[in-house]
Amino acid sequence: MEGTDLARIRPFLATLGRTPTPADVAEAMRAEHLLVSDAALMAAVEALRRESLGAGALDPLLHTPGVTDVLVNGPDQVWVDRGAGLEPAGITFESEAEVRRLATRLAAAVGRRLDDGVPYVDGRLADGTRLHAVLAPIAAPGTCVSLRVPSRHRLSLADWVANGALPERGAILLRMLVAARRAFLISGGTGTGKTTLLATLLGLVPPHERLLIVEDSRELQPDHPHCVRLEARHPNAEGAGGITLTDLVRQALRMRPDRLVLGEVRGAELRDLLIAMNTGHEGGCGTVHANSADDVPARLEALGALGGLDRAAVHAQAAAALDVVVHLQRDRAAHGQGRRRVATIATVQRRRDLVEVVPAVEFDAAGGARPGPGLADLERLLTR
Ligand SMILES: Nc1ncnc2c1ncn2[C@@H]1O[C@H](COP(=O)(O)OP(=O)(O)OP(=O)(O)O)[C@@H](O)[C@H]1O
Ligand SMILES: [Mg+2]
């Protein structure tokens, strides 16, 4: 059914104050002098059902195999990433009001409020899809909705190799990294596959180890029999009741973790993670946003500052706590079709008072491997 036709019958249906039955929809269509054929009625009922349950017009996109992201920038721009970078999705919304309705409904579905008082939201939908939305006029050209589809099946390391995202040699090193219980961070830009790779690696942790996973919103689904998951909580509308990642890292440490996992390090909790790793908690790991492996120390400095650590303290703590950085990259769409891949495995070394991330192996887009100055250090770390 055309969006404009839906817009015509919606006011009638809204007056009912209940979920419309197909008979109600037919009556509304008749009232608007629309043709009520079986097909038209079915299309209208289906469109309304999608609107009230799922992600409305976005549902078919979200269920297309290979789609990882759906981005809405107001009514006229809908973008989709099917694994080859962003491309126009070929659909539009009838109005800004329709996008806004979708955004508020999705927010309600994740139990959050979204209105002019609190114009942005993030959370996870029941099927695991990650939601972020910001209302216009804070966002232009209109209300923005960003949806990240979780991978439908867990990727094994063999899948990464089969996808061309990781050369076999890299897979061997990552296996050794987990087996040696070294502390590592997975770095990369937005949507490069950090969380996915972390879940893959956690699946390699021996089953007798107890994983404590601390996350902002529940994303990691590792294939592992002993996971305890702690999820942060946003404060309520009055600003009370929030539970931060820092709170949760502290709780996790009292829960006898064999591995402490911080889904994404993005704030003051870095301090607690580093302290934990420096006080006998081995095998800690997490992801961090950084555009290159070299940028990781600067990123840690910025996050450490949020936790009240000065520059020298961050470097000293990070040098002692962290062993390895695995960096992910997404090639530009023109070369390699926006493919996500492991680009660098690096070791964290101390140079005078500063920590440096020194490449041990660099992989190119063709799957070739080039040794870097950190290789000897990596071999030492992995074979103990
Ligand atoms: N190796 C891969 N092969 C195929 N798809 C992948 C691969 N790695 C990640 N993806 C897909 O890419 C999308 C983004 O992955 P993921 O959420 O792990 O990225 P991220 O770097 O953690 O993103 P963010 O910066 O938003 O935290 C997901 O839909 C995921 O299923
Ligand atoms: Mg992530």
Side-chain angles (χ1 to χ4, degrees), residues 308-368:
L309 288 180
D310 64 24
R311 184 163 186 251
V314 173
H315 282 269
Q317 296 274 352
L322 295 171
D323 300 312
V324 170
V325 169
V326 179
H327 186 73
L328 292 171
Q329 172 177 316
R330 213 169 165 190
D331 295 316
R332 283 215 196 92
H335 333 267
Q337 305 204 309
R339 203 177 58 197
R340 302 175 172 86
R341 61 185 183 85
V342 176
T344 312
I345 301 178
T347 65
V348 177
Q349 298 182 20
R350 190 173 190 150
R351 291 275 161 81
R352 277 176 234 110
D353 289 336
L354 296 180
V355 55
E356 263 181 43
V357 174
V358 182
V361 195
E362 290 183 285
F363 301 109
D364 59 36

Side-chain angles (χ1 to χ4, degrees), residues 6 72 88 127 132 140 151 158 183 228 280 285 287 293 327 332 346:
L6 267 190
V72 179
D127 68 352
H132 182 269
S151 106
V228 175
C285 53
T287 74
H327 186 73
R332 283 215 196 92

Side-chain angles (χ1 to χ4, degrees), residues 8-358:
R8 283 166 60 188
I9 63 173
R10 210 177 275 118
F12 176 95
L13 297 173
T15 61
L16 297 173
R18 58 179 148 92
T19 310
T21 63
D24 296 332
V25 177
E27 194 182 337
M29 290 168 74
R30 256 180 244 116
E32 282 298 316
H33 308 291
L34 295 169
L35 175 72
V36 191
S37 67
D38 280 358
L41 180 60
M42 265 173 57
V45 169
E46 173 62 17
L48 289 165
R49 188 195 61 84
R50 280 217 198 104
E51 255 199 14
S52 66
L53 287 180
L58 304 180
D59 247 4
L61 285 176
L62 292 170
H63 289 101
T64 306
V67 167
T68 60
D69 295 87
V70 176
L71 306 174
V72 179
N73 315 338
D76 301 326
Q77 293 182 24
V78 182
W79 297 86
V80 63
D81 188 335
R82 307 171 202 266
L86 290 174
E87 46 187 297
I91 62 166
T92 54
F93 287 81
E94 73 191 45
S95 62
E96 162 62 22
E98 191 188 358
V99 183
R100 190 180 171 107
R101 241 188 337 266
L102 172 69
T104 27
R105 195 162 39 70
L106 291 174
V110 302
R112 303 283 305 287
R113 138 180 184 203
L114 181 67
D115 54 32
D116 290 321
V118 186
Y120 41 80
V121 68
D122 67 89
R124 283 181 79 70
L125 301 172
D127 68 352
T129 300
R130 203 167 73 190
L131 161 73
H132 182 269
V134 196
L135 295 179
I138 302 295
T143 291
C144 290
V145 179
S146 312
L147 294 161
R148 156 69 52 77
V149 184
S151 106
R152 262 172 247 289
H153 64 278
R154 297 187 185 113
L155 294 182
S156 67
L157 219 43
D159 293 324
W160 281 78
V161 174
N163 282 349
L166 176 68
E168 188 55 53
R169 164 127 173 85
I172 293 169
L173 292 172
L174 294 182
R175 260 194 206 96
M176 292 170 77
L177 172 68
V178 175
R181 294 178 51 73
R182 291 303 183 182
F184 66 89
L185 285 179
I186 297 177
S187 62
T190 306
T192 46
K194 302 179 295 293
T195 302
T196 307
L197 182 62
L198 182 57
T200 300
L201 296 186
L202 292 176
L204 303 174
V205 169
H208 63 266
E209 291 186 21
R210 172 170 161 90
L211 302 182
L212 261 137
I213 303 180
V214 172
E215 287 179 289
D216 215 17
S217 68
R218 210 155 280 175
E219 261 193 300
L220 286 165
Q221 306 266 8
D223 183 13
H224 190 278
H226 195 156
C227 296
V228 175
R229 314 164 59 149
L230 301 178
E231 188 181 24
R233 190 170 70 194
H234 292 269
N236 64 15
E238 287 75 45
I243 297 177
T244 65
L245 293 177
T246 301
D247 298 329
L248 295 181
V249 169
R250 290 178 187 170
Q251 300 318 306
L253 292 175
R254 299 188 184 121
M255 297 168 74
R256 229 220 74 168
D258 288 314
R259 307 231 185 196
L260 176 61
V261 181
L262 195 47
E264 185 180 341
V265 190
R266 59 178 183 200
E269 69 283 356
L270 172 69
R271 173 177 179 273
D272 299 83
L273 179 71
L274 292 178
I275 291 173
M277 287 173 167
N278 282 330
T279 49
H281 291 278
E282 281 191 328
C285 53
T287 74
V288 68
H289 192 281
N291 290 330
S292 72
D294 291 346
D295 284 348
V296 170
R299 177 78 177 143
L300 296 180
E301 274 182 25
L303 298 177
L306 296 173
L309 288 180
D310 64 24
R311 184 163 186 251
V314 173
H315 282 269
Q317 296 274 352
L322 295 171
D323 300 312
V324 170
V325 169
V326 179
H327 186 73
L328 292 171
Q329 172 177 316
R330 213 169 165 190
D331 295 316
R332 283 215 196 92
H335 333 267
Q337 305 204 309
R339 203 177 58 197
R340 302 175 172 86
R341 61 185 183 85
V342 176
T344 312
I345 301 178
T347 65
V348 177
Q349 298 182 20
R350 190 173 190 150
R351 291 275 161 81
R352 277 176 234 110
D353 289 336
L354 296 180
V355 55
E356 263 181 43
V357 174
V358 182

